Amino acid sequence: MINEKVLNVLGYDKVLEEIAEYTVLSCSKRALLATLPCEDYFSVNEALDTTAEAVKLLYTYSVSGVDFFDEITDELDRAEKGATLSCAEVLRVMRLLRSSRLTNKAILSVNSDDIVIIKRIVSALYFDAYLENDISVKVISDDALADNASETLGQLRRKIKRLNEQIREKLSSYIRGEKVKYLQENIVTMRGDRYVIPVKAEYKGNIKGLIHDQSATGATVFIEPEAILELNNELKTAMLEEKAEIEKILSDLSHSIGIVAPRLRANIGLLSSVDVAFAKAEYAYKTHSVMPIMCDSGHLSIKKGRHPLIPRETVVPIDIYFGDKFSYLLITGPNTGGKTVSLKLVGLFTVMAMSGIFVPAAEGTRLSFFENVFADIGDEQSIEQSLSTFSSHMKNIIAITRQADEKSLVLIDEIGAGTDPDEGGALAQAVIEKLLETNSKGIITTHYSRLKEFAYTRGDIMNASMDFDGKTFAPLYRLAIGIPGSSNAIEISRILGLDGKVADRAVELLSDNKISFEKVLREAEKSRQEAENIRAEYSLLKSEAQAEADRVKAERAKLETDRNRFLQGAKAEARRIINEKTEEAEQLLDEIKEILKKAEVDGGDLIKARTIKNKIEDVKYGVAETEGPHFSDKPLDLASVKPGDGVYVASIGGAAVVTRVSAKKKEAEVLAGSLRLNVKEGEIYPLTDNTEKQKNKTSVSFTRNLASAAAAKTEINVIGQNVDEALLNVDKFIDECVVNNVAEIRIVHGKGMNILSRAIQAELKKNRNVSEFRFGVYGEGENGVTIVKLK
């Protein structure tokens, strides 16, 4: 078990106090403040998983948490022993029952395989909806039962009300009648639960009844008139019976509570566990903490870790790693530079994670389970034992060297300080060598140059330093691993106001080796910081360039998609025009056939036939014009291409005119209609003679009817048409749907002898625009309908 003193030195108790503020129950707050790190690796992972589930329940599935209920351990103990609880105490038990039921239902209703541990906890909750409802119906406040708590209680309260009314009615005759002159005041009051009237002392013989009290002066006596004596007796009896009935109802409720008291007592512990998990989850959310990756190998890698006890707006995130390639970090650098904070951060993160608490760091942070954590931090001094600062530290360090092993985390601040520097440095090195032999993991801070040099000679301990500004010597609170730091004591003292001559003399008194070593460290630090700045600028430029490249790539992909969509629509429109021309030609041919069937052909008929023939030629000419350009299958060599040449461009599937040639880039700029683009050498083909001839003909122009897209049809009915008519109409309909981007159509052909359906489906197999087709199912028309999906 980790020493409580170590936990307090790390600030663990203060973190628990912050988390405890998020608890709902007072018992949960006590439990959380008493939380200790788990003692085995399995328990650590289960604790973290529990917190992770609580985060999901609160912030993914919107579970409201545990409903508040009072401390009722004492009430449950008394009820279990047979005591009768008061209305207020019974209501407190009801709130526990309600909290148990609501928590159970809310969490078990979450349909997710991610919630396992907390579901297991709440599944053990006992709740009794009948008892909960019985209490809520019968007990209406902390000091009252409802009239309908029992039939007897209702009857008694109605009787009491009636008697009160009768008594008041009789007493009103004294207040308003002729005997009012005997009264001190025209009121009805009570003495000892009995109704009385205030009578002047000199007239007490004029009012027959019992005297219950008199005023302090003796001028007034309170008389219960003889006329209401019996009614008052009945009222008193009814009130006693009411009290007895209330006692009986509360006794029955208390008995029911006593029977289930052990289970309710267990509920308190279960709900407290859930409330603690929710408090940890809320703390994680409010502090932007993450669930660390846990291991038990001693490997730690903290990414952008923020000390949880330093305000978020002032804390500087740091990266720390050790325990993998090297066991220890030796941190050096100026005072107030953040060495101690970094050391405490590692220890605090470790014990937080081992308690199931998320840590304020970036995703990917890795922490390790340790069986023990040792720490010697701060300027402690044992007054009771008359120990000096050095002696106090050495006592701690001796204990650490004796107990540390491969499952230990060791944190030592300013090792060897408080004594002669030479002896302190030698002693510190010896202690570090001993700790390295134990295979423990940890961090040690120091100002000793001897230890910095020692770390360079070992592979199991790594130098690290707290960054400082090379010009102002101000701390930057960043950890640089791999480079030792300089204390900069003289320079910092100079900046703080130390006399320049004193500072210069201090430099003179330093040994040549010391001056040289410190100078090398400062220059190395300056060079490293400059390199870091250059690297940061490069990373920023690289990310900006990558973002711009991604934007251009996305824009290019969008343009390519739009172009393909346009070409597809244009080709479909061209097919539609061809089909219309073909249909028109077929109609003209049918007219010629009808004319030729006549037995005699007169001059007028011949003229008509000749006219129709000319129309057919026009139609044939128009159809021919919709044919695409003819081109050779061998790409052009750019060396032979010059501006103004007509070429075929494979990427757009059409002809274009060359406007510019770049032999260096091996590409040409072409103009296709209003579209100007650059194409590579292998995408350009020469046009054949047929295409060149067609350049001189009047080309067919067409305009896509965008209005049709808004009212695009998805069904065609060909029932009653012959096969040729149906196929022509279906083909034309498919082309129109392709132009209008219709995904699925419905062809109604009827059943009959299946001649029409077979012919249509055979044609659909050949159509390039058809993705798949099928007969309709029940409710769609079955075999009388074909459902077609278009590409």
Side-chain angles (χ1 to χ4, degrees):
M1 180 181 293
I2 300 173
N3 188 287
E4 185 177 350
K5 182 180 178 182
V6 171
L7 295 175
N8 292 339
V9 166
L10 295 174
Y12 176 73
D13 55 332
K14 292 182 174 61
V15 171
L16 292 183
E17 288 173 4
E18 288 189 5
I19 301 173
E21 295 301 315
Y22 297 109
T23 56
V24 173
L25 311 174
S26 54
C27 57
S28 305
K29 186 171 186 176
R30 291 196 303 273
L32 202 149
L33 291 174
T35 300
L36 292 174
C38 300
E39 296 185 8
D40 62 85
Y41 184 54
F42 173 80
S43 299
V44 169
N45 283 299
E46 185 172 56
L48 286 170
D49 288 341
T50 303
T51 304
E53 290 185 8
V55 170
K56 290 181 180 177
L57 287 170
L58 285 177
Y59 301 107
T60 301
Y61 301 110
S62 301
V63 174
S64 60
V66 177
D67 268 32
F68 172 79
F69 60 87
D70 308 273
E71 289 275 4
I72 59 167
T73 305
D74 181 60
E75 287 85 339
L76 293 177
D77 291 342
R78 287 171 45 234
E80 195 173 10
K81 293 174 182 177
T84 298
L85 304 181
S86 67
C87 291
E89 291 170 332
V90 170
L91 284 177
R92 287 199 283 271
V93 174
M94 186 206 71
R95 284 192 280 270
L96 169 59
L97 285 166
R98 181 177 61 197
S99 180
S100 302
R101 174 177 57 82
L102 293 176
T103 303
N104 176 279
K105 297 297 183 185
I107 294 175
L108 293 185
S109 66
V110 174
N111 186 20
S112 172
D113 295 334
D114 296 334
I115 313 300
V116 177
I117 300 171
I118 296 182
K119 279 188 176 180
R120 185 173 68 236
I121 294 172
V122 300
S123 295
L125 284 171
Y126 168 79
F127 58 92
D128 187 336
Y130 174 78
L131 177 58
E132 179 191 340
N133 184 67
D134 198 29
I135 294 173
S136 65
V137 168
K138 292 179 179 179
V139 185
I140 59 175
S141 69
D142 285 352
D143 54 6
L145 293 182
D147 291 348
N148 61 349
S150 73
E151 186 176 350
T152 301
L153 182 62
Q155 292 174 351
L156 287 169
R157 287 185 172 174
R158 287 192 293 274
K159 181 179 180 181
I160 290 170
K161 183 179 179 181
R162 187 182 69 252
L163 288 170
N164 275 307
E165 290 172 352
Q166 290 176 358
I167 290 170
R168 286 183 174 278
E169 186 178 347
K170 284 187 174 295
L171 288 176
S172 64
S173 65
Y174 287 89
I175 296 172
R176 296 192 298 269
E178 60 180 18
K179 296 182 179 181
V180 69
K181 60 185 177 182
Y182 303 131
L183 302 184
Q184 193 71 261
E185 293 181 83
N186 294 346
I187 61 170
V188 175
T189 185
M190 297 192 77
R191 288 293 186 272
D193 294 332
R194 301 182 75 86
Y195 284 99
V196 295
I197 54 176
V199 180
K200 297 176 181 177
E202 61 268 27
Y203 295 120
K204 62 182 178 181
N206 298 86
I207 302 294
K208 292 184 179 181
L210 295 176
I211 297 176
H212 285 276
D213 197 3
Q214 69 177 12
S215 65
T217 61
T220 304
V221 292
F222 297 94
I223 298 175
E224 179 185 1
E226 192 178 60
I228 65 165
L229 186 62
E230 188 58 36
L231 289 175
N232 263 338
N233 288 338
E234 285 187 47
L235 178 61
K236 182 70 174 178
T237 301
M239 292 175 68
L240 290 172
E241 289 176 351
E242 179 196 25
K243 185 177 179 181
E245 181 61 19
I246 290 173
E247 187 73 13
K248 178 180 180 299
I249 294 169
L250 290 175
S251 178
D252 291 343
L253 291 174
S254 300
H255 177 70
S256 299
I257 292 169
I259 293 173
V260 298
R263 304 183 73 174
L264 294 179
R265 202 177 290 111
N267 275 13
I268 295 174
L270 295 170
L271 289 171
S272 176
S273 298
V274 176
D275 190 28
V276 166
F278 282 149
K280 292 178 183 178
E282 194 167 352
Y283 172 81
Y285 179 80
K286 295 290 177 60
T287 57
H288 302 278
S289 296
V290 300
M291 179 178 175
I293 302 167
M294 291 302 295
C295 67
D296 60 353
S297 62
H299 179 201
L300 288 86
S301 178
I302 298 173
K303 300 180 178 180
K304 299 188 181 304
R306 309 182 307 275
H307 197 291
L309 300 179
I310 299 177
R312 183 176 174 84
E313 59 272 12
T314 59
V315 68
V316 178
I318 61 171
D319 295 339
I320 304 178
Y321 58 89
F322 64 91
D324 184 14
K325 295 181 180 179
F326 50 90
S327 300
Y328 274 81
L329 272 179
L330 182 72
I331 303 180
T332 52
N335 288 327
T336 70
K339 298 192 303 296
T340 303
V341 170
S342 300
L343 181 138
K344 283 187 174 183
L345 176 94
V346 171
L348 186 54
F349 271 25
T350 298
V351 295
M352 285 173 65
M354 289 171 58
S355 303
I357 303 169
F358 287 10
V359 295
E363 291 287 350
T365 291
R366 178 185 294 273
L367 296 171
S368 178
F369 165 77
F370 290 100
E371 291 181 358
N372 217 329
V373 177
F374 299 103
D376 181 63
I377 304 172
D379 191 17
E380 299 178 6
Q381 197 167 1
S382 176
I383 297 174
E384 295 82 359
Q385 300 180 30
S386 299
L387 296 176
S388 67
T389 300
F390 174 76
S391 300
S392 177
H393 282 308
M394 282 311 301
K395 187 177 179 182
N396 289 337
I397 290 173
I398 290 168
I400 292 172
T401 56
R402 287 176 178 173
Q403 300 175 49
D405 57 19
E406 67 276 2
K407 291 294 183 181
S408 300
L409 175 66
V410 178
L411 307 168
I412 302 177
D413 191 27
E414 300 293 353
I415 188 169
T419 188
D420 177 77
D422 290 336
E423 290 188 13
L427 188 58
Q429 181 176 330
V431 169
I432 294 174
E433 289 175 351
K434 173 61 177 177
L435 291 174
L436 292 174
E437 289 176 6
T438 66
N439 291 322
S440 58
K441 308 293 189 296
I443 298 178
I444 296 171
T445 70
T446 185
H447 286 286
Y448 291 140
S449 297
R450 176 189 188 121
L451 298 183
K452 304 174 192 177
E453 296 167 8
F454 167 75
Y456 272 125
T457 66
R458 301 286 299 242
D460 45 6
I461 182 169
M462 177 65 69
N463 269 309
S465 60
M466 301 307 300
D467 278 354
F468 63 92
D469 189 291
K471 295 180 180 178
T472 65
F473 296 95
L476 300 176
Y477 306 106
R478 295 196 303 258
L479 184 67
I481 296 177
I483 299 175
S486 175
S487 297
N488 300 314
I490 297 175
E491 296 301 329
I492 291 174
S493 299
R494 193 193 300 271
I495 291 170
L496 292 175
L498 181 66
D499 184 89
K501 292 181 179 180
V502 176
D504 292 340
R505 178 56 180 160
V507 173
E508 291 175 4
L509 293 174
L510 288 175
S511 66
D512 292 340
N513 289 339
K514 175 68 176 177
I515 295 173
S516 177
F517 184 68
E518 291 294 324
K519 184 176 181 182
V520 168
L521 287 181
R522 282 198 295 270
E523 291 301 321
E525 178 64 13
K526 287 182 181 179
S527 299
R528 186 188 65 79
Q529 288 186 11
E530 289 174 0
E532 286 291 333
N533 292 335
I534 293 172
R535 181 180 178 184
E537 290 177 7
Y538 168 75
S539 297
L540 178 62
L541 291 173
K542 183 179 178 182
S543 62
E544 290 176 352
Q546 184 62 47
E548 181 64 18
D550 292 342
R551 187 190 66 77
V552 171
K553 185 177 180 181
E555 188 67 23
R556 183 179 295 172
K558 182 177 181 298
L559 290 172
E560 182 68 18
T561 302
D562 292 344
R563 184 181 65 80
N564 290 337
R565 187 182 296 112
F566 172 78
L567 290 175
Q568 184 179 7
K571 291 177 181 179
E573 185 73 9
R575 285 195 299 272
R576 184 186 65 79
I577 293 173
I578 293 172
N579 290 334
E580 287 179 353
K581 296 289 186 179
T582 303
E583 183 180 0
E584 185 179 347
E586 292 292 338
Q587 291 175 354
L588 294 173
L589 287 172
D590 288 341
E591 289 184 33
I592 291 175
K593 289 178 181 178
E594 289 297 324
I595 293 172
L596 294 176
K597 283 180 182 178
K598 294 181 180 180
E600 295 180 359
V601 180
D602 56 22
D605 288 336
L606 286 175
I607 293 172
K608 186 176 181 181
R610 191 174 292 110
T611 301
I612 292 172
K613 180 176 179 295
N614 291 334
K615 287 184 179 181
I616 292 176
E617 292 297 329
D618 291 340
V619 171
K620 287 171 65 180
Y621 175 80
V623 171
E625 289 304 325
T626 62
E627 295 179 2
H630 293 256
F631 59 94
S632 173
D633 57 358
K634 185 178 180 181
L636 275 170
D637 184 355
L638 280 183
S640 62
V641 179
K642 60 183 181 298
D645 288 352
V647 294
Y648 177 81
V649 180
S651 59
I652 63 173
V657 176
V658 176
T659 57
R660 184 175 58 84
V661 178
S662 174
K664 185 177 180 181
K665 294 183 179 181
K666 294 187 177 181
E667 64 180 21
E669 182 187 82
V670 300
L671 184 65
S674 62
L675 180 65
R676 187 181 298 274
L677 68 161
N678 294 327
V679 292
K680 296 297 182 183
E681 184 175 41
E683 298 181 0
I684 303 174
Y685 296 84
L687 294 171
T688 62
D689 292 340
N690 183 61
T691 304
E692 292 295 332
K693 290 176 183 178
Q694 290 197 24
K695 284 185 181 180
N696 299 322
K697 295 183 180 179
T698 303
S699 60
V700 175
S701 63
F702 59 88
T703 302
R704 180 175 177 181
N705 186 4
L706 296 177
S708 63
K713 296 181 180 179
T714 60
E715 179 179 300
I716 182 172
N717 191 328
V718 294
I719 294 176
Q721 299 178 11
N722 61 40
V723 172
D724 292 335
E725 290 176 329
L727 293 181
L728 182 62
N729 290 332
V730 167
D731 191 53
K732 178 182 177 182
F733 181 67
I734 289 175
D735 286 338
E736 291 175 353
C737 290
V738 169
V739 171
N740 292 323
N741 293 320
V742 177
E744 185 176 282
I745 63 172
R746 188 168 180 261
I747 302 174
V748 182
H749 43 63
K751 296 180 181 178
M753 301 296 291
N754 290 330
I755 296 173
L756 196 56
S757 63
R758 282 200 300 270
I760 289 173
Q761 292 191 359
E763 194 66 23
L764 290 175
K765 291 180 181 179
K766 305 174 187 176
N767 196 313
R768 294 181 179 180
N769 292 314
V770 174
S771 173
E772 58 181 85
F773 60 86
R774 60 175 174 81
F775 279 122
V777 297
Y778 179 76
E780 291 181 327
E782 300 181 357
N783 290 355
V785 170
T786 295
I787 307 297
V788 183
K789 287 188 177 181
L790 302 177
K791 294 181 180 177

